[in-house]
Amino acid sequence: MYADRITASMEEAIDETNRRRAIQVAYNTERGIDPQPLRKRIADITDMLAREDETTEELLATWGKGKGGKAIAPVPGLSRMSDDGRADTAGLPSAELADLVQQLTEQMHAAAADLQFEVAARLRDEVSDLKKELRQMIEATK
């Protein structure tokens, strides 16, 4: 907290925090617990990105094939954004959906390279949803 003076309510909050901290330290000492911070390696995140890339490449490689290996003709249409900023894929042609997957995958890599892991994770989740939808479109044409 930052202030010029400590008010009664601030003093009360500080005292309560110190009381709870003392209880937690006593509990940990009594049970031999040494709290450690969460450590997640950046390599874990890059491994996740590599796995995501593999599934994206596989999906995009099979995207253009329908029954008997015949190419699926894309239906003309425009991509839209929903109110929450996510891609509105309802009625989106498979060609545009595949392009969107590719674009978001590139954005995900750029965000991870800039160490913006929350953004990369959000994009990863969106790419995953779009790939699921694209797989359903491919299955429907078989």
Side-chain angles (χ1 to χ4, degrees):
M1 288 190 226
Y2 297 99
D4 291 333
R5 63 183 180 83
I6 297 176
T7 64
S9 59
M10 289 170 63
E11 183 71 38
E12 190 176 318
I14 292 168
D15 290 345
E16 180 63 16
T17 300
N18 290 335
R19 184 188 72 81
R20 290 181 184 189
R21 183 175 292 124
I23 292 170
Q24 186 67 56
V25 168
Y27 179 91
N28 291 349
T29 303
E30 182 180 314
R31 289 168 176 76
I33 298 171
D34 182 22
Q36 297 293 316
L38 179 64
R39 293 185 179 98
K40 188 160 185 144
R41 300 176 319 151
I42 290 178
D44 294 342
I45 296 166
T46 56
D47 290 344
M48 176 271 305
L49 291 175
R51 285 191 305 273
E52 196 67 33
D53 282 347
E54 287 176 21
T55 62
T56 299
E57 287 175 19
E58 290 171 11
L59 180 62
L60 294 179
T62 61
W63 158 77
K65 308 238 176 178
K67 288 183 182 176
K70 295 181 182 174
I72 301 169
V75 179
L78 299 172
S79 59
R80 297 167 299 280
M81 298 303 279
S82 64
D83 292 337
D84 63 359
R86 295 183 72 141
D88 181 7
T89 58
L92 193 65
S94 57
E96 287 190 30
L97 191 57
D99 287 342
L100 185 57
V101 166
Q102 187 63 41
Q103 290 169 11
L104 292 178
T105 300
E106 291 169 7
Q107 289 177 20
M108 176 182 66
H109 284 286
D114 291 340
L115 303 179
Q116 295 177 344
F117 298 119
E118 292 86 4
V119 173
R122 183 181 51 78
L123 289 168
R124 175 206 60 209
D125 295 343
E126 191 165 347
V127 166
S128 180
D129 292 343
L130 293 173
K131 288 194 304 190
K132 187 183 302 181
E133 190 172 331
L134 189 55
R135 282 187 191 101
Q136 290 172 347
M137 292 173 97
I138 291 169
E139 287 298 315
T141 59
K142 288 184 179 179

mmCIF file of all heavy atoms in Angstrom, residues 52-78:
data_model
loop_
_atom_site.group_PDB
_atom_site.id
_atom_site.type_symbol
_atom_site.label_atom_id
_atom_site.label_comp_id
_atom_site.label_asym_id
_atom_site.label_seq_id
_atom_site.Cartn_x
_atom_site.Cartn_y
_atom_site.Cartn_z
ATOM 1 N N GLU A 52 1.538 -27.814 -31.449
ATOM 2 C CA GLU A 52 0.412 -27.137 -32.097
ATOM 3 C C GLU A 52 0.681 -26.963 -33.585
ATOM 4 O O GLU A 52 -0.212 -27.123 -34.413
ATOM 5 C CB GLU A 52 0.184 -25.779 -31.418
ATOM 6 C CG GLU A 52 -1.143 -25.152 -31.707
ATOM 7 C CD GLU A 52 -2.307 -25.902 -31.122
ATOM 8 O OE1 GLU A 52 -2.191 -26.509 -30.055
ATOM 9 O OE2 GLU A 52 -3.382 -25.885 -31.773
ATOM 10 N N ASP A 53 1.927 -26.646 -33.939
ATOM 11 C CA ASP A 53 2.306 -26.492 -35.345
ATOM 12 C C ASP A 53 2.123 -27.794 -36.112
ATOM 13 O O ASP A 53 1.655 -27.798 -37.252
ATOM 14 C CB ASP A 53 3.763 -26.048 -35.477
ATOM 15 C CG ASP A 53 3.942 -24.571 -35.212
ATOM 16 O OD1 ASP A 53 2.919 -23.857 -35.181
ATOM 17 O OD2 ASP A 53 5.086 -24.145 -35.048
ATOM 18 N N GLU A 54 2.519 -28.910 -35.490
ATOM 19 C CA GLU A 54 2.389 -30.206 -36.157
ATOM 20 C C GLU A 54 0.938 -30.507 -36.497
ATOM 21 O O GLU A 54 0.632 -30.906 -37.620
ATOM 22 C CB GLU A 54 2.950 -31.317 -35.266
ATOM 23 C CG GLU A 54 4.451 -31.328 -35.168
ATOM 24 C CD GLU A 54 4.947 -32.386 -34.197
ATOM 25 O OE1 GLU A 54 4.197 -33.345 -33.914
ATOM 26 O OE2 GLU A 54 6.086 -32.249 -33.714
ATOM 27 N N THR A 55 0.043 -30.309 -35.523
ATOM 28 C CA THR A 55 -1.364 -30.607 -35.790
ATOM 29 C C THR A 55 -1.945 -29.640 -36.810
ATOM 30 O O THR A 55 -2.789 -30.029 -37.614
ATOM 31 C CB THR A 55 -2.207 -30.590 -34.502
ATOM 32 O OG1 THR A 55 -2.167 -29.292 -33.922
ATOM 33 C CG2 THR A 55 -1.710 -31.618 -33.507
ATOM 34 N N THR A 56 -1.488 -28.383 -36.788
ATOM 35 C CA THR A 56 -1.965 -27.407 -37.765
ATOM 36 C C THR A 56 -1.520 -27.802 -39.168
ATOM 37 O O THR A 56 -2.321 -27.781 -40.106
ATOM 38 C CB THR A 56 -1.456 -25.997 -37.422
ATOM 39 O OG1 THR A 56 -1.951 -25.635 -36.132
ATOM 40 C CG2 THR A 56 -1.919 -24.975 -38.437
ATOM 41 N N GLU A 57 -0.259 -28.176 -39.310
ATOM 42 C CA GLU A 57 0.249 -28.572 -40.628
ATOM 43 C C GLU A 57 -0.486 -29.797 -41.160
ATOM 44 O O GLU A 57 -0.844 -29.851 -42.338
ATOM 45 C CB GLU A 57 1.756 -28.848 -40.551
ATOM 46 C CG GLU A 57 2.582 -27.592 -40.418
ATOM 47 C CD GLU A 57 4.066 -27.892 -40.222
ATOM 48 O OE1 GLU A 57 4.496 -29.019 -40.540
ATOM 49 O OE2 GLU A 57 4.770 -26.991 -39.766
ATOM 50 N N GLU A 58 -0.719 -30.783 -40.288
ATOM 51 C CA GLU A 58 -1.449 -31.982 -40.710
ATOM 52 C C GLU A 58 -2.857 -31.624 -41.175
ATOM 53 O O GLU A 58 -3.329 -32.104 -42.202
ATOM 54 C CB GLU A 58 -1.530 -32.987 -39.553
ATOM 55 C CG GLU A 58 -0.221 -33.636 -39.203
ATOM 56 C CD GLU A 58 -0.308 -34.445 -37.922
ATOM 57 O OE1 GLU A 58 -1.437 -34.666 -37.414
ATOM 58 O OE2 GLU A 58 0.754 -34.847 -37.418
ATOM 59 N N LEU A 59 -3.517 -30.779 -40.401
ATOM 60 C CA LEU A 59 -4.885 -30.399 -40.740
ATOM 61 C C LEU A 59 -4.937 -29.619 -42.042
ATOM 62 O O LEU A 59 -5.772 -29.891 -42.910
ATOM 63 C CB LEU A 59 -5.498 -29.566 -39.604
ATOM 64 C CG LEU A 59 -6.934 -29.102 -39.823
ATOM 65 C CD1 LEU A 59 -7.862 -30.301 -39.949
ATOM 66 C CD2 LEU A 59 -7.367 -28.220 -38.687
ATOM 67 N N LEU A 60 -4.039 -28.663 -42.203
ATOM 68 C CA LEU A 60 -4.051 -27.859 -43.418
ATOM 69 C C LEU A 60 -3.644 -28.687 -44.639
ATOM 70 O O LEU A 60 -4.085 -28.405 -45.749
ATOM 71 C CB LEU A 60 -3.144 -26.634 -43.264
ATOM 72 C CG LEU A 60 -3.621 -25.609 -42.225
ATOM 73 C CD1 LEU A 60 -2.637 -24.458 -42.129
ATOM 74 C CD2 LEU A 60 -5.016 -25.100 -42.526
ATOM 75 N N ALA A 61 -2.844 -29.731 -44.436
ATOM 76 C CA ALA A 61 -2.465 -30.612 -45.543
ATOM 77 C C ALA A 61 -3.656 -31.436 -46.014
ATOM 78 O O ALA A 61 -3.810 -31.696 -47.205
ATOM 79 C CB ALA A 61 -1.324 -31.524 -45.126
ATOM 80 N N THR A 62 -4.516 -31.843 -45.083
ATOM 81 C CA THR A 62 -5.683 -32.649 -45.452
ATOM 82 C C THR A 62 -6.897 -31.795 -45.775
ATOM 83 O O THR A 62 -7.888 -32.294 -46.277
ATOM 84 C CB THR A 62 -6.078 -33.617 -44.318
ATOM 85 O OG1 THR A 62 -6.406 -32.858 -43.155
ATOM 86 C CG2 THR A 62 -4.967 -34.586 -44.025
ATOM 87 N N TRP A 63 -6.839 -30.489 -45.491
ATOM 88 C CA TRP A 63 -7.998 -29.609 -45.659
ATOM 89 C C TRP A 63 -8.545 -29.648 -47.072
ATOM 90 O O TRP A 63 -9.740 -29.724 -47.295
ATOM 91 C CB TRP A 63 -7.631 -28.174 -45.291
ATOM 92 C CG TRP A 63 -8.558 -27.189 -45.910
ATOM 93 C CD1 TRP A 63 -9.809 -26.900 -45.510
ATOM 94 C CD2 TRP A 63 -8.337 -26.422 -47.083
ATOM 95 N NE1 TRP A 63 -10.384 -25.975 -46.331
ATOM 96 C CE2 TRP A 63 -9.494 -25.675 -47.319
ATOM 97 C CE3 TRP A 63 -7.275 -26.294 -47.962
ATOM 98 C CZ2 TRP A 63 -9.614 -24.812 -48.386
ATOM 99 C CZ3 TRP A 63 -7.388 -25.432 -49.022
ATOM 100 C CH2 TRP A 63 -8.560 -24.710 -49.219
ATOM 101 N N GLY A 64 -7.690 -29.594 -48.067
ATOM 102 C CA GLY A 64 -8.154 -29.490 -49.437
ATOM 103 C C GLY A 64 -8.627 -30.793 -50.051
ATOM 104 O O GLY A 64 -8.901 -30.852 -51.225
ATOM 105 N N LYS A 65 -8.750 -31.857 -49.252
ATOM 106 C CA LYS A 65 -9.159 -33.150 -49.803
ATOM 107 C C LYS A 65 -10.530 -33.542 -49.266
ATOM 108 O O LYS A 65 -10.766 -33.509 -48.077
ATOM 109 C CB LYS A 65 -8.143 -34.216 -49.415
ATOM 110 C CG LYS A 65 -6.734 -33.810 -49.770
ATOM 111 C CD LYS A 65 -6.125 -34.783 -50.674
ATOM 112 C CE LYS A 65 -4.760 -34.228 -51.057
ATOM 113 N NZ LYS A 65 -4.001 -34.986 -51.858
ATOM 114 N N GLY A 66 -11.395 -33.927 -50.146
ATOM 115 C CA GLY A 66 -12.721 -34.395 -49.766
ATOM 116 C C GLY A 66 -12.832 -35.884 -50.036
ATOM 117 O O GLY A 66 -11.852 -36.607 -49.952
ATOM 118 N N LYS A 67 -14.009 -36.356 -50.419
ATOM 119 C CA LYS A 67 -14.218 -37.767 -50.725
ATOM 120 C C LYS A 67 -13.316 -38.198 -51.870
ATOM 121 O O LYS A 67 -13.197 -37.493 -52.862
ATOM 122 C CB LYS A 67 -15.671 -38.016 -51.121
ATOM 123 C CG LYS A 67 -16.645 -37.941 -49.988
ATOM 124 C CD LYS A 67 -18.023 -38.266 -50.477
ATOM 125 C CE LYS A 67 -19.013 -38.153 -49.352
ATOM 126 N NZ LYS A 67 -20.366 -38.364 -49.779
ATOM 127 N N GLY A 68 -12.675 -39.329 -51.691
ATOM 128 C CA GLY A 68 -11.854 -39.872 -52.763
ATOM 129 C C GLY A 68 -10.660 -39.005 -53.104
ATOM 130 O O GLY A 68 -10.092 -39.117 -54.178
ATOM 131 N N GLY A 69 -10.244 -38.110 -52.213
ATOM 132 C CA GLY A 69 -9.086 -37.269 -52.463
ATOM 133 C C GLY A 69 -9.363 -36.106 -53.385
ATOM 134 O O GLY A 69 -8.459 -35.420 -53.812
ATOM 135 N N LYS A 70 -10.637 -35.875 -53.714
ATOM 136 C CA LYS A 70 -10.984 -34.748 -54.587
ATOM 137 C C LYS A 70 -10.938 -33.451 -53.801
ATOM 138 O O LYS A 70 -11.301 -33.395 -52.634
ATOM 139 C CB LYS A 70 -12.390 -34.944 -55.165
ATOM 140 C CG LYS A 70 -12.480 -36.134 -56.087
ATOM 141 C CD LYS A 70 -13.873 -36.268 -56.633
ATOM 142 C CE LYS A 70 -13.956 -37.501 -57.524
ATOM 143 N NZ LYS A 70 -15.303 -37.751 -57.971
ATOM 144 N N ALA A 71 -10.509 -32.407 -54.456
ATOM 145 C CA ALA A 71 -10.415 -31.102 -53.798
ATOM 146 C C ALA A 71 -11.797 -30.564 -53.486
ATOM 147 O O ALA A 71 -12.737 -30.743 -54.255
ATOM 148 C CB ALA A 71 -9.658 -30.124 -54.685
ATOM 149 N N ILE A 72 -11.905 -29.917 -52.344
ATOM 150 C CA ILE A 72 -13.160 -29.291 -51.929
ATOM 151 C C ILE A 72 -13.160 -27.875 -52.473
ATOM 152 O O ILE A 72 -12.246 -27.106 -52.220
ATOM 153 C CB ILE A 72 -13.273 -29.248 -50.395
ATOM 154 C CG1 ILE A 72 -13.216 -30.664 -49.823
ATOM 155 C CG2 ILE A 72 -14.523 -28.525 -49.963
ATOM 156 C CD1 ILE A 72 -13.057 -30.686 -48.323
ATOM 157 N N ALA A 73 -14.184 -27.534 -53.206
ATOM 158 C CA ALA A 73 -14.272 -26.174 -53.761
ATOM 159 C C ALA A 73 -14.711 -25.230 -52.658
ATOM 160 O O ALA A 73 -15.736 -25.452 -52.019
ATOM 161 C CB ALA A 73 -15.275 -26.145 -54.902
ATOM 162 N N PRO A 74 -13.936 -24.184 -52.387
ATOM 163 C CA PRO A 74 -14.340 -23.239 -51.350
ATOM 164 C C PRO A 74 -15.559 -22.445 -51.789
ATOM 165 O O PRO A 74 -15.714 -22.132 -52.956
ATOM 166 C CB PRO A 74 -13.125 -22.337 -51.183
ATOM 167 C CG PRO A 74 -12.345 -22.486 -52.441
ATOM 168 C CD PRO A 74 -12.663 -23.842 -52.996
ATOM 169 N N VAL A 75 -16.409 -22.156 -50.837
ATOM 170 C CA VAL A 75 -17.598 -21.352 -51.095
ATOM 171 C C VAL A 75 -17.235 -19.903 -50.824
ATOM 172 O O VAL A 75 -16.637 -19.590 -49.804
ATOM 173 C CB VAL A 75 -18.753 -21.784 -50.157
ATOM 174 C CG1 VAL A 75 -19.979 -20.933 -50.395
ATOM 175 C CG2 VAL A 75 -19.044 -23.253 -50.343
ATOM 176 N N PRO A 76 -17.545 -18.981 -51.729
ATOM 177 C CA PRO A 76 -17.188 -17.584 -51.493
ATOM 178 C C PRO A 76 -17.871 -17.042 -50.245
ATOM 179 O O PRO A 76 -18.990 -17.396 -49.946
ATOM 180 C CB PRO A 76 -17.695 -16.856 -52.737
ATOM 181 C CG PRO A 76 -18.129 -17.887 -53.691
ATOM 182 C CD PRO A 76 -18.229 -19.190 -52.979
ATOM 183 N N GLY A 77 -17.195 -16.173 -49.535
ATOM 184 C CA GLY A 77 -17.761 -15.563 -48.336
ATOM 185 C C GLY A 77 -16.755 -14.641 -47.690
ATOM 186 O O GLY A 77 -15.606 -14.603 -48.077
ATOM 187 N N LEU A 78 -17.198 -13.894 -46.708
ATOM 188 C CA LEU A 78 -16.327 -12.951 -46.031
ATOM 189 C C LEU A 78 -16.179 -13.349 -44.577
ATOM 190 O O LEU A 78 -17.141 -13.774 -43.941
ATOM 191 C CB LEU A 78 -16.920 -11.540 -46.110
ATOM 192 C CG LEU A 78 -17.095 -10.968 -47.505
ATOM 193 C CD1 LEU A 78 -17.867 -9.664 -47.436
ATOM 194 C CD2 LEU A 78 -15.744 -10.766 -48.171
#
